[in-house]
Amino acid sequence: MRKSLVLLFVLALLVGVSSADGHLKPVKLQLQWVAQSQFAGYFAAVDLGFYNDEGLDVTILEGAVEIVPQQVVASGGAEFGLAWVPKVLESNEQGVNLVNIAQVFQRSGTLEVSFVDTGIESVEDFRGMRIGTWGFGNEHELFAAMRAADIDPENPDDVTVVQQPFDMSLLLNGELDAAEAMTYNEYAQVLEAVNPDTGELYQPEDLNVIDFNDVGTAMLQDHVFVNADWLAEEGNAEIAVAFLKASFRGWIHCRENPDECVGIVLDNGSTLGESHQTWQLNEISKLIWPSPAGIGIMDADLWAQTVAISLEAQVISEEPSMDAYRSDLAQAAIDALAMDGHDVMGEDWQPVEVVLRPGGE
């Protein structure tokens, strides 16, 4: 039945979703964190009028440590939210009814980073080491990797797991042997720091990096979700498609105009510097592009892997329902974009080389 709705959604987009009196439909998007290039596509869609083109007036709500996007959307504080997949699966098992409508990130951005002199070159080398993680649901890829290497993350005789702050200070001051990092943020923080032995910035060759995509325990991360009850109300599926179309257009624009989008992020109040945000957008684009089936379309194998690790880590106790995600709305959005001549797969996109400056300035 969903396939039969795709053409209707595409046609509906041609006339937009504005109200009968021509006013834009107000909706809110809850971010996971503060303004940064991780969310550049959405800021660009607001600033460049892409949401307005679809009949929407979108307000972006920034995140914070104490803000849980799942709770905000479930309570009606926002129509759309962004989060990592296992966190939404956990929230659903606790009684809310959220649905993934667009898997924007096609790959995980999680790393474990160490200095070369620690000798950590594989997960097996974590044994007996001090290994950092942020916790708060960010540890599952790491713990699954350790269990696969026969290291029990809950056994201090195997490994010392340290809850680190959301920065790389403990790695830089020698309190950790390896620290959790995102490709687009904390990894760059190390490369923006001065190596006291050389007086110059640290270089990639000073570091060993374990990428959980390579290890095989990567989990799906940033995606757009909504309250399924809201989505079932008349007219809201069309609003969702319009939102996705404009959001995807924003990400396509940032792929093709990264400098402009970094400027938009900075203008929206980012506290991080220009070189850091340029690095971040370049790394975020690596997580999105290429999108083999089109931006926002779920990779069923990675969904299954994410669910399997969530079960193993006891994030959830049973398989999520078949309705935990749907791709028909994203498909309608990318079909409409393709009709307008937009490249929704990004197969030819190539990352650029970004020069980081001290402190990311």
Side-chain angles (χ1 to χ4, degrees), residues 157-236:
D157 292 331
D158 282 0
V159 63
T160 300
V161 174
V162 179
Q163 183 164 329
Q164 66 185 73
F166 286 93
D167 58 37
M168 300 301 273
S169 58
L170 298 188
L171 180 72
L172 290 167
N173 67 22
E175 294 182 52
L176 286 178
D177 297 306
E180 189 169 23
M182 302 307 293
T183 58
Y184 50 82
N185 198 356
E186 292 78 17
Y187 177 55
Q189 290 177 19
V190 180
L191 300 176
E192 294 160 0
V194 174
N195 181 344
D197 294 334
T198 66
E200 304 292 336
L201 296 184
Y202 283 107
Q203 299 299 308
E205 54 265 28
D206 297 323
L207 305 170
N208 283 334
V209 174
I210 293 175
D211 185 327
F212 294 108
N213 294 287
D214 299 331
V215 172
T217 59
M219 303 175 81
L220 289 166
Q221 298 182 346
D222 289 29
H223 70 285
V224 180
F225 66 89
V226 298
N227 188 322
D229 297 329
W230 173 85
L231 189 61
E233 295 177 8
E234 184 178 358
N236 286 348

Side-chain angles (χ1 to χ4, degrees), residues 4 218 263 275 282 337 341:
S4 67
S275 75
N282 194 49
L337 287 168

Side-chain angles (χ1 to χ4, degrees), residues 120-148:
I120 296 175
E121 297 181 355
S122 68
V123 176
E124 286 76 10
D125 296 327
F126 290 169
R127 187 176 297 277
M129 297 287 189
R130 300 164 299 172
I131 306 300
T133 175
W134 302 304
F136 300 105
N138 298 295
E139 72 276 14
H140 303 312
E141 292 167 289
L142 169 64
F143 283 12
M146 287 198 282
R147 291 190 183 101

